[in-house]
């Protein structure tokens, strides 16, 4: 609580912002990036068959659903609210505001660590995502000490400079931290999409849509994934607009059936290869 008060103190922000920055670094190193906390924002390629549908409906990362770690996941709720609220205030950066940029950098690092350890959900980050992308863009950043903008700023923002009154390196570090955070969000999105896909497969499997040797089941196979958003749309909304975009629906509708059909073709390939005629003289099969 004391460190949180220091990090979020408006009085310190006005007079001693560097103290708040140092306190945020202490919180990250001594309380967040420590054992037993582990990397949770990752794609888990193994699922429990009986839990496929409940896992998809929960809208949670698969690692959080199966972890045995004794962690209080609400421990940093107040800290998360402050970090997200502070970061969303910035869409551009001014290289002359060195202390302010250092504070933004430390909070971005803290945001990344909270996300990696599983304390932040995608739904909590989704409202801030447009601001993070704008901050990453940087085309409106002031990096040469002038306020008039123009071509000079556009070229100067790629030049690392650190003086008493100007620091572009801290801005570059902010962009790097943002890229790492967005990569974690991409991993979370993929894990959640995989849960939804497998849940849809389990639903159709239970309905007998994948029984072998039944031509009547072919339309169901070809249509695999098209009802995913319709069936699980309510759960998908829980993970934020980023995860319920048209891209999600299109990807499942276009790739789900083809992928499982391809897997069935691969499984049937050995039997087909045994029945394939072989050229005289022990040559290779006519068709593989």
């Amino acid at each position: 609580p004391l460190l949180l008060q220091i990090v979020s103190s408006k009085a310190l922000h006005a007079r001693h912002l560097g103290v708040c920055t140092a306190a945020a670094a202490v919180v990250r190193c001594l309380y967040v990036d420590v054992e037993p906390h582990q990397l949770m924002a990752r794609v888990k390629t193994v699922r429990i068959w009986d839990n496929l549908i409940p896992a998809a409906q929960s809208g949670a990362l698969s690692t959080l659903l199966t972890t045995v770690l004794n962690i209080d996941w609400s421990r940093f709720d107040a800290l998360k609210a402050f970090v997200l609220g502070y970061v969303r205030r910035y869409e551009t950066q001014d290289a002359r505001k060195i202390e302010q940029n250092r504070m933004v950098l430390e909070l971005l690092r803290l945001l990344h660590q909270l996300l990696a350890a599983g304390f932040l959900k995608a739904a909590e980050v989704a409202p801030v995502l447009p601001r993070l992308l704008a901050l990453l863009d940087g085309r409106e950043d002031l990096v040469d000490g002038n306020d008039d903008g123009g071509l000079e700023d556009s070229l100067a923002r790629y030049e690392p400079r650190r003086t008493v009154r100007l620091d572009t390196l801290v801005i570059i570090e902010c962009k790097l931290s943002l890229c790492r955070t967005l990569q974690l969000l991409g991993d979370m999105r993929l894990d959640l999409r995989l849960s939804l896909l497998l849940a849809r497969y389990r639903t159709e499997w239970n309905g007998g849509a994948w029984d072998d040797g039944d031509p009547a089941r072919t339309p169901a196979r070809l249509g695999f994934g098209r009802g995913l958003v319709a069936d699980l749309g309510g759960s998908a909304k829980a993970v934020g607009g980023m995860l319920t975009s048209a891209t999600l629906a299109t990807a499942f509708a276009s790739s789900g059936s083809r992928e499982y059909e391809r897997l069935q073709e691969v499984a049937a390939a050995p039997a087909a290869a045994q029945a394939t005629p072989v050229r005289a003289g022990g040559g290779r099969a006519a068709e593989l």
Side-chain angles (χ1 to χ4, degrees):
L2 177 59
L3 286 173
L4 177 60
Q5 292 178 7
I6 296 176
V7 172
S8 59
S9 172
K10 294 183 178 179
L12 287 177
H13 286 186
R15 297 183 178 182
H16 305 286
L17 188 57
V19 176
C20 303
T21 303
V26 170
V27 172
R28 175 173 58 86
C29 296
L30 297 185
Y31 294 96
V32 182
D33 190 14
V34 294
E35 294 182 349
H37 302 160
Q38 299 179 1
L39 178 61
M40 293 293 180
R42 56 186 174 87
V43 180
K44 189 174 181 181
T45 57
V46 178
R47 299 291 194 277
I48 300 175
W49 179 255
D50 293 336
N51 295 341
L52 286 178
I53 297 177
Q57 293 174 343
S58 69
L61 288 170
S62 56
T63 50
L64 295 178
L65 296 175
T66 58
T67 184
V68 295
L69 297 176
N70 185 19
I71 297 177
D72 180 10
W73 298 107
S74 62
R75 178 183 182 185
F76 299 112
D77 284 353
L79 179 62
K80 292 188 302 183
F82 168 75
V83 172
L84 293 174
Y86 191 95
V87 171
R88 72 186 306 168
R89 291 159 45 188
Y90 295 93
E91 292 185 1
T92 61
Q93 291 180 287
D94 188 340
R96 297 169 299 181
K97 299 180 180 180
I98 300 176
E99 292 297 326
Q100 184 184 87
N101 291 333
R102 288 176 179 171
M103 180 64 171
V104 172
L105 172 61
E106 194 54 53
L107 292 183
L108 287 176
R109 289 172 174 171
L110 185 55
L111 174 65
H112 175 271
Q113 197 59 47
L114 288 169
L115 192 65
F119 290 98
L120 269 169
K121 297 181 180 179
E124 296 175 302
V125 184
V128 192
L129 186 58
R131 297 296 181 93
L132 296 180
L133 293 174
L135 189 61
L136 177 62
D137 187 347
R139 284 178 291 181
E140 301 298 327
D141 293 347
L142 296 176
V143 293
D144 63 350
N146 298 323
D147 294 325
D148 54 355
L151 181 60
E152 183 180 357
D153 290 342
S154 178
L155 297 177
R157 71 191 186 107
Y158 297 105
E159 299 177 2
R161 288 183 293 172
R162 176 169 287 172
T163 65
V164 176
R165 299 182 178 180
L166 194 72
D167 190 347
T168 62
L169 292 177
V170 67
I171 294 180
I172 295 174
E173 291 176 357
C174 287
K175 312 303 184 188
L176 178 60
S177 182
L178 281 168
C179 290
R180 291 170 176 166
T181 300
L182 293 174
Q183 184 177 11
L184 279 182
L185 288 173
D187 291 340
M188 294 173 65
R189 179 175 181 264
L190 181 58
D191 184 80
L192 295 171
R193 291 178 66 183
L194 183 59
S195 295
L196 293 172
L197 174 66
L198 293 176
R200 179 64 184 180
Y201 175 63
R202 174 63 192 271
T203 300
E204 294 193 358
W205 179 277
N206 291 343
W210 295 86
D211 292 343
D212 294 333
D214 187 356
R217 304 298 185 183
T218 300
R221 296 180 185 180
L222 295 178
F224 175 75
R226 292 194 176 118
L228 178 64
V229 176
D231 292 348
L232 300 177
S235 300
K237 290 179 182 178
V239 301
M242 177 189 67
L243 304 176
T244 57
S245 61
T247 304
L248 176 68
T250 304
F252 277 114
S254 61
S255 64
S257 61
R258 292 199 302 269
E259 179 63 17
Y260 277 96
E261 290 294 329
R262 186 186 67 81
L263 292 177
Q264 287 194 342
E265 291 173 2
V266 171
Q274 293 178 0
T276 302
V278 180
R279 292 194 185 98
R284 296 181 60 187
E287 296 181 1
L288 295 179

